[in-house]
């Protein structure tokens, strides 16, 4: 019988090829545009330039994604929102 591992990181967001969906969409738009450039101006140096450009863009998007994770700030909202007055006693931290 096949066993499946539990996926616990579901709240981190969708990732395709190591990129979030928005960065992946930018990558795909650039790849489609570069394919159009290659088709309409077929030249060896243009093909090499497009390949280098797409690889560099992928690396830059991966770097930006990793750098943004370093600068993530704390959540805007508190964990618990309540109308009760705060007495200053924490009963649940024993």
């Amino acid at each position: 019988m096949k066993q499946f591992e539990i996926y616990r990181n579901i709240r981190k967001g969708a990732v395709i090829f190591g990129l979030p969906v928005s960065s992946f969409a930018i990558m795909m738009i650039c790849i489609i545009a570069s394919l159009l450039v290659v088709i309409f101006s077929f030249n060896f140096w243009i093909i090499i330039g497009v390949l280098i450009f797409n690889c560099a863009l992928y690396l830059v998007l991966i770097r930006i994604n990793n750098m943004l994770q370093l600068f993530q700030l704390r959540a805007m909202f508190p964990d618990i929102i309540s109308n009760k007055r705060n007495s200053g006693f924490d009963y649940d931290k024993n």
Side-chain angles (χ1 to χ4, degrees), residues 25-88:
I26 292 171
M27 186 74 194
M28 285 299 112
I29 289 171
C30 288
I31 288 175
I32 292 170
S34 64
L35 285 174
L36 288 173
V37 168
V38 167
I39 289 171
F40 289 115
S41 61
F42 192 74
N43 190 351
F44 180 71
W45 296 112
I46 291 178
I47 294 172
I48 298 298
V50 163
L51 287 173
I52 292 171
F53 174 75
N54 285 329
C55 291
L57 178 66
Y58 178 71
L59 293 175
V60 166
L61 289 174
I62 290 285
R63 282 273 164 107
I64 289 173
N65 186 30
N66 290 338
M67 288 180 68
L68 290 178
Q69 288 177 354
L70 293 175
F71 296 118
Q72 276 184 348
L73 299 175
R74 192 156 192 249
M76 287 176 110
F77 299 106
D79 295 332
I80 299 172
I81 298 175
S82 176
N83 288 335
K84 287 194 223 176
R85 290 185 186 167
N86 188 7
S87 65

Side-chain angles (χ1 to χ4, degrees), residues 7 9-22 24 65:
Y7 182 66
N9 296 329
I10 196 154
R11 293 184 184 198
K12 287 186 178 179
V15 176
I16 306 169
F17 292 122
L19 296 170
V21 176
S22 59
F24 180 75
N65 186 30

